[in-house]
Amino acid sequence: MKTKELTTADVAVIKHDVTRLMENFHAELMAKNIKAMMKLMAEDGLYCGTDPGEFMGKKEFGDMVNQTVEEMNILEYPIQRREVRIGQNGQSALVLEQFVIKQFSAHMQLRLISQCTHSHHGWLIDFMSWNFIPANEDVEKINKALEQ
């Protein structure tokens, strides 16, 4: 079965919708409205935190985020970079975002890699991976600090 070729207009609409989804996700997280944030996520998704052992389903991820935001004072972070790449069929998108959450680290950016998929429910996030991304010149300093 041959897939429909996406037009420039199709891509623009999809990028707009996916960007709005991610903006809503971040707005709800910053507002500490975890219940609303979780409505933007797929039930069967995979959600990874910054720790190597943090591979979670939706409920576990929501519980972790809820606990984290309760412990933090202010959670505000402007998105410094966002790239949206649309899948060939127009039913999925890869989103890469970079930002700093000072409560986690004022010195290292976070890179959030998300996959969004479109279904009869609209666009939902079905994969997330939160990653600290130190500058290359800081890796040696981090390695030395971890040796202690």
Side-chain angles (χ1 to χ4, degrees):
M1 185 171 165
K2 193 173 182 180
T3 59
K4 176 187 161 206
E5 193 73 28
L6 294 175
T7 67
T8 303
D10 293 334
V11 170
V13 168
I14 293 168
K15 280 188 176 184
H16 173 268
D17 291 348
V18 169
T19 298
R20 189 176 65 195
L21 170 68
M22 295 308 298
E23 287 173 349
N24 289 340
F25 171 85
H26 291 290
E28 298 298 357
L29 178 56
M30 285 185 239
K32 300 181 182 182
N33 189 352
I34 306 309
K35 188 174 182 178
M37 182 194 83
M38 297 306 291
K39 290 180 181 178
L40 306 172
M41 303 175 77
E43 290 299 324
D44 61 347
L46 174 61
Y47 306 101
C48 304
T50 57
D51 188 87
E54 293 176 341
F55 281 74
M56 297 162 276
K58 181 178 177 176
K59 182 184 179 336
E60 295 84 10
F61 181 75
D63 291 345
M64 182 192 73
V65 171
N66 197 45
Q67 180 181 353
T68 301
V69 299
E70 282 181 12
E71 295 170 359
M72 299 174 82
N73 293 327
I74 300 169
L75 183 63
E76 288 186 28
Y77 53 93
I79 303 300
Q80 297 166 335
R81 181 173 186 175
R82 176 181 286 130
E83 297 286 334
V84 177
R85 304 297 169 129
I86 309 304
Q88 287 184 340
N89 64 2
Q91 300 299 302
S92 66
L94 182 65
V95 182
L96 291 98
E97 299 169 310
Q98 289 181 192
F99 45 90
V100 172
I101 298 179
K102 291 181 183 174
Q103 290 87 343
F104 293 149
S105 175
H107 305 288
M108 276 192 289
Q109 285 191 332
L110 281 161
R111 179 177 292 147
L112 177 59
I113 303 167
S114 305
Q115 177 175 288
C116 306
T117 54
H118 191 268
S119 70
H120 61 281
H121 297 296
W123 285 97
L124 292 173
I125 303 163
D126 69 352
F127 173 80
M128 285 189 143
S129 181
W130 295 77
N131 308 275
F132 284 107
I133 51 169
N136 290 338
E137 61 267 14
D138 292 335
V139 172
E140 184 177 344
K141 293 181 238 176
I142 294 167
N143 284 333
K144 284 185 181 183
L146 292 173
E147 288 175 4
Q148 299 180 19

